[in-house]
């Protein structure tokens, strides 16, 4: 049996357990991700894919290099995440008209139709989460999380 040394007391473990924002945010993010993944599974989407596709619903198709920071992803990871969505016909990757080295992401009609069907389920799931968080004002929470990003 290993004994604890005095230079890292159990109290330090308890401090991190109780105080660590990163730990609490990661745990909450995993829990939320599982909840939304389950809700979106009938549409063949994960919560990350839903968010990615929804971020393409804009008048001017975004460039990969602009979307990656918005989604807090590096460009390589984003490019990998795009491949199955492109393969399934939910988006198209095209060269930027002003810079052929840049790629723009276009939500297809098929992708838009999928989001139209999935959005009510996302809303219902979000309403359930809001009920669980009753008494917690989500505005300051979102503002704080955005400030960290």
């Amino acid at each position: 049996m290993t004994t604890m040394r005095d230079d890292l007391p159990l109290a330090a473990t308890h401090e991190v357990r109780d105080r660590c924002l990163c730990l609490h945010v990661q745990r909450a993010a995993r829990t939320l991700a599982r909840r939304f993944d389950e809700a979106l599974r009938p549409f063949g989407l994960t919560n990350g894919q839903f968010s990615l596709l929804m971020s393409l619903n804009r008048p001017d198709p975004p460039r990969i290099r602009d979307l990656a920071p918005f989604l807090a992803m590096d460009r390589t990871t984003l490019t990998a995440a795009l491949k199955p969505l492109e393969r399934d016909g939910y988006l198209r990757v095209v060269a930027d008209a002003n810079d052929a080295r840049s790629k723009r992401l276009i939500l297809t009609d098929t992708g838009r139709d999928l989001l139209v069907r999935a959005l009510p389920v996302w809303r219902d799931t979000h309403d359930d989460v809001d009920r669980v968080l009753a008494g917690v004002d989500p505005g300051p929470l979102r503002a704080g999380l955005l400030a960290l990003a």
Side-chain angles (χ1 to χ4, degrees):
M1 182 161 118
T2 305
T3 59
M4 294 196 65
R5 293 180 6 205
D6 291 338
D7 58 344
L8 187 62
L10 183 58
T13 301
H14 292 168
E15 176 188 6
V16 171
R17 176 199 65 198
D18 297 340
R19 183 174 180 207
C20 183
L21 287 174
C22 191
L23 171 65
H24 292 288
V25 169
Q26 286 173 339
R27 289 176 63 193
R30 288 184 193 111
T31 300
L32 281 172
R34 280 192 299 272
R35 184 181 291 236
F36 281 93
D37 283 347
E38 184 63 32
L40 295 168
R41 184 170 289 127
F43 303 97
L45 292 174
T46 65
N47 75 85
Q49 291 171 324
F50 176 84
S51 296
L52 195 161
L53 287 173
M54 192 58 78
S55 72
L56 303 182
N57 184 41
R58 53 174 81 183
D60 296 317
R63 291 176 297 199
I64 290 176
R65 72 172 184 230
D66 298 326
L67 191 59
F70 172 76
L71 295 171
M73 301 172 83
D74 62 65
R75 289 180 6 194
T76 303
T77 303
L78 175 56
T79 299
L82 295 169
K83 296 224 182 280
L85 298 171
E86 182 181 22
R87 180 194 65 227
D88 292 342
Y90 301 137
L91 64 89
R92 286 183 320 147
V93 180
V94 299
D96 186 307
N98 299 321
D99 180 0
R101 295 170 298 166
S102 288
K103 303 295 182 205
R104 293 218 177 245
L105 305 172
I106 300 172
L107 183 65
T108 64
D109 288 342
T110 302
R112 185 172 281 100
D113 291 345
L114 178 65
L115 290 176
V116 166
R117 291 192 326 270
L119 185 58
V121 172
W122 177 89
R123 285 180 175 142
D124 289 345
T125 305
H126 214 290
D127 289 345
D128 290 343
V129 169
D130 288 345
R131 279 189 283 282
V132 169
L133 295 175
V136 175
D137 185 352
L141 175 59
R142 282 187 195 97
L145 292 173
L146 284 171
L148 289 172

